[in-house]
Amino acid sequence: MMMAPSLRIMLPDISTTDAEFYFMGYIKTIKNNVITIYITNYKYDKPIEKNFNNKDNIIFGYFSENCLSNYKWNKVQNCLIISNPLYPQILHIRIGGKDYEINDNCVIIYYNQNLIKNSETLDQDNDYISELQSLLQKNNKENSISSNYEPVFKIPSWLVSSMFINHLLNYFNMIIWLITSIKKNKRILIREGNFILSILVDIILGYYILELILRDQKKLGVLLMHILEKLINLMYSLLKWLMGSPAGLKLNNAFNKMLGKYFSYHIELWWLFLDVSGEKLDVILYFYKYIGYLGFTFQAAIVSDMICIATFHSYCIYVYAARLFNIQISGLVALLRLFVGRKYNPLRDGIDSCEYTNQELFVGTVAFTILLLLFPTTVMYYTVFTLFRVLSMLVQYILAKCIYLMQTLPLYVIILWLARSTKVAGNIFIEVIENNVSSHLFLRINLFNKSVKDLVNNSRPPVEVSKHIEWSNIVTNIVTGKQII
């Protein structure tokens, strides 16, 4: 009989019973000659299988005070016989058809089968406990791993600016992910449960908001046109203020009036468009009514697109002002290089030394003076309409965040945490069981609920934010005059 290697036996917590039972498990050999035996299934009346399957990684055995059972265990390639319900004693072990002598280098670990099997938040740091969970779920023909999120519908680049289109396609992708995950796992996991409850809350909240807003559809249309008219008048007043002496600044009178009239013309065109399309506002509200019943998130996406349409005139003015500002900044920087004998080389993408003639220096000085004198007027228009653009983007960003938060509400996981469900038991605590009977080391695995913060962070559905804005890049673009899209 050979000396047994180091053993680690994972045993279901059934030490309170005195009845005889048969069990089945799996053998995993790891480095340093340590063998881990996972006992995953047991029966009290008869062996697990009449005809044992002699696979290398499957072990069979039984627990009984009578070590000389009538059952013929000599047909089994791997078997384990234990006794003593309180502190199991290994009476016999056979691995790979070879009988081993029992030594003291053995650890027996009790575990709660339901807790390990049902937990969806189990820490993956401990390899053998994660392996035990996977074997238990395999034994019960379950799969606890949620399907990877792979978007089915891709958002076209020319529709990225529409939050409603973004949200609609993301919503379809999430529904497909939800159906696929439930079909694969044969049950509702935490992330899927969170998304289902968030959809219900979204629809209920959207219904009440829509009923509150659309009590008088015609009155709402008049109110919206009144708001748009107020915005147009506000823009007119702002342009008149800029065409004077804004904040006491002395601007270039001719250039200032030219810019003011040019931008006023665009506002007039936009108001004409809104006035003509206002007759169709009832049709828009009619569609908004039925789309809005899909939930608050759809309403927020529609409102975001309506803000884009209502502020399109200010966006056009911002684009013109930003382009003019960028041209003047680039011209001033290039002319400053002229005074120090430098010029930009596009072939090397670098700065080269250069000798200029007196005529070139004179023309450059005149051009620099003109650009410098016109620059304050451009800066004033650029600053005002850039603030309009940033404010509009901020509102859309807040609406996008509201949509994201609504779709990732952790209602289901909080309910599970309050009910102390086994699904949220993921913190592992191993305690030592003292004994004076056996020389083996006895341990017990206890699982406790994770904190609400950890559960919320790790159980969000794979929802994408419809409007992702990098504010650091926006600040850089504002300073350099690059267009903010």
Side-chain angles (χ1 to χ4, degrees):
M1 182 177 293
M2 301 177 62
M3 183 65 67
S6 299
L7 290 177
R8 181 193 291 136
I9 301 177
M10 308 290 294
L11 189 66
D13 196 356
I14 49 178
S15 58
T16 57
T17 179
D18 294 331
E20 180 182 86
F21 65 87
Y22 298 85
F23 58 79
M24 184 199 77
Y26 299 88
I27 300 175
K28 298 290 181 179
T29 304
I30 60 176
K31 60 182 180 179
N32 299 328
N33 199 27
V34 177
I35 296 178
T36 303
I37 299 176
Y38 301 94
I39 306 302
T40 58
N41 202 356
Y42 59 89
K43 289 184 179 180
Y44 288 101
D45 51 352
K46 59 182 179 179
I48 304 298
E49 297 179 4
K50 292 183 179 180
N51 297 322
F52 289 138
N53 189 354
N54 284 320
K55 290 185 177 180
D56 294 337
N57 65 329
I58 296 180
I59 188 169
F60 296 92
Y62 74 102
F63 161 80
S64 176
E65 289 295 334
N66 179 18
C67 63
L68 300 176
S69 175
N70 294 327
Y71 199 87
K72 296 181 180 180
W73 295 98
N74 55 353
K75 297 181 180 180
V76 182
Q77 185 175 356
N78 304 313
C79 76
L80 175 65
I81 302 174
I82 59 177
S83 67
N84 192 337
L86 187 58
Y87 301 108
Q89 300 293 318
I90 300 177
L91 302 178
H92 182 72
I93 183 171
R94 182 188 304 140
I95 299 176
K98 298 179 181 179
D99 295 333
Y100 287 88
E101 182 181 351
I102 309 303
N103 57 24
D104 295 335
N105 195 6
C106 178
V107 180
I108 297 178
I109 305 175
Y110 295 108
Y111 70 91
N112 188 307
Q113 202 168 30
N114 289 329
L115 281 178
I116 297 292
K117 183 183 68 175
N118 296 328
S119 175
E120 297 180 20
T121 58
L122 191 64
D123 289 331
Q124 301 298 318
D125 297 335
N126 201 314
D127 295 336
Y128 66 90
I129 296 180
S130 301
E131 181 70 24
L132 173 63
Q133 185 185 49
S134 64
L135 291 173
L136 287 171
Q137 291 168 348
K138 178 183 178 182
N139 191 50
N140 289 273
K141 297 181 180 180
E142 295 179 354
N143 189 348
S144 65
I145 302 176
S146 181
S147 302
N148 294 327
Y149 175 65
E150 295 181 0
V152 177
F153 298 101
K154 303 294 183 180
I155 301 173
S157 58
W158 57 281
L159 290 176
V160 172
S161 58
S162 173
M163 189 180 292
F164 177 74
I165 299 297
N166 277 261
H167 176 62
L168 185 64
L169 295 181
N170 287 337
Y171 199 83
F172 285 150
N173 287 329
M174 290 301 301
I175 294 296
I176 294 173
W177 164 80
L178 178 65
I179 296 173
T180 304
S181 298
I182 293 177
K183 285 184 178 180
K184 180 179 179 180
N185 300 307
K186 308 299 182 183
R187 55 175 178 165
I188 298 177
L189 302 180
I190 294 178
R191 292 203 300 172
E192 287 84 351
N194 277 338
F195 185 67
I196 291 174
L197 283 184
S198 68
I199 290 177
L200 295 178
V201 174
D202 183 23
I203 293 175
I204 294 173
L205 182 61
Y207 174 80
Y208 283 106
I209 291 177
L210 205 62
E211 289 295 320
L212 181 64
I213 293 176
L214 295 181
R215 288 181 178 177
D216 192 342
Q217 185 171 331
K218 292 184 178 180
K219 185 178 179 180
L220 179 61
V222 174
L223 178 62
L224 290 177
M225 288 301 299
H226 181 69
I227 293 174
L228 291 176
E229 185 177 359
K230 285 287 186 181
L231 290 175
I232 297 296
N233 291 333
L234 176 63
M235 195 69 67
Y236 269 125
S237 300
L238 181 61
L239 283 175
K240 288 181 179 179
W241 177 72
L242 291 174
M243 291 171 67
S245 297
L249 296 175
K250 188 67 175 177
L251 304 179
N252 185 284
N253 187 45
F255 187 55
N256 189 10
K257 288 185 177 180
M258 184 195 73
L259 290 179
K261 291 180 179 180
Y262 179 70
F263 293 149
S264 298
Y265 177 70
H266 280 79
I267 295 177
E268 292 175 1
L269 287 178
W270 186 244
W271 174 243
L272 180 62
F273 169 75
L274 292 178
D275 191 29
V276 173
S277 61
E279 299 177 357
K280 306 297 181 181
L281 189 60
D282 291 339
V283 179
I284 297 174
L285 293 177
Y286 178 80
F287 285 106
Y288 170 76
K289 177 180 180 180
Y290 289 99
I291 295 176
Y293 280 124
L294 295 175
F296 166 77
T297 55
F298 284 89
Q299 297 174 16
I302 293 174
V303 170
S304 176
D305 285 355
M306 291 177 66
I307 291 175
C308 288
I309 296 174
T311 59
F312 183 73
H313 57 296
S314 64
Y315 175 72
C316 291
I317 297 175
Y318 158 74
V319 171
Y320 300 144
R323 185 59 180 166
L324 185 60
F325 178 82
N326 181 261
I327 291 173
Q328 287 188 329
I329 285 287
S330 302
L332 289 172
V333 172
L335 292 173
L336 279 174
R337 295 196 191 104
L338 180 142
F339 298 143
V340 294
R342 298 278 183 173
K343 71 172 183 178
Y344 174 73
N345 188 345
L347 297 178
R348 294 195 312 108
D349 193 20
I351 306 298
D352 293 339
S353 298
C354 181
E355 293 184 2
Y356 295 97
T357 63
N358 292 334
Q359 291 82 357
E360 290 174 335
L361 289 173
F362 175 76
V363 173
T365 302
V366 172
F368 180 83
T369 304
I370 294 173
L371 290 177
L372 186 61
L373 293 176
L374 297 179
F375 189 66
T377 306
T378 304
V379 169
M380 183 58 65
Y381 279 90
Y382 175 70
T383 302
V384 171
F385 289 101
T386 299
L387 290 177
F388 268 92
R389 176 58 181 162
V390 172
L391 181 61
S392 174
M393 293 182 65
L394 181 61
V395 173
Q396 295 178 65
Y397 178 76
I398 293 174
L399 290 173
K401 280 295 183 182
C402 289
I403 293 174
Y404 176 77
L405 293 176
M406 178 61 67
Q407 291 186 310
T408 57
L409 283 176
L411 296 178
Y412 184 62
V413 72
I414 291 177
I415 293 173
L416 293 177
W417 185 83
L418 293 174
R420 304 189 68 82
S421 171
T422 57
K423 289 186 175 183
V424 296
N427 288 332
I428 302 173
F429 178 75
I430 300 178
E431 64 173 329
V432 178
I433 302 175
E434 297 182 358
N435 77 94
N436 298 321
V437 179
S438 174
S439 60
H440 304 321
L441 176 62
F442 292 90
L443 305 175
R444 176 175 282 108
I445 297 175
N446 296 318
L447 293 183
F448 298 96
N449 286 0
K450 284 196 168 185
S451 64
V452 177
K453 181 179 179 181
D454 291 338
L455 292 173
V456 170
N457 292 334
N458 298 324
S459 60
R460 288 192 181 99
V463 179
E464 296 181 358
V465 181
S466 300
K467 199 79 173 179
H468 181 69
I469 298 176
E470 296 183 2
W471 294 104
S472 59
N473 292 339
I474 288 180
V475 173
T476 303
N477 292 341
I478 290 174
V479 174
T480 57
K482 294 182 180 179
Q483 182 180 343
I484 303 174
I485 301 176

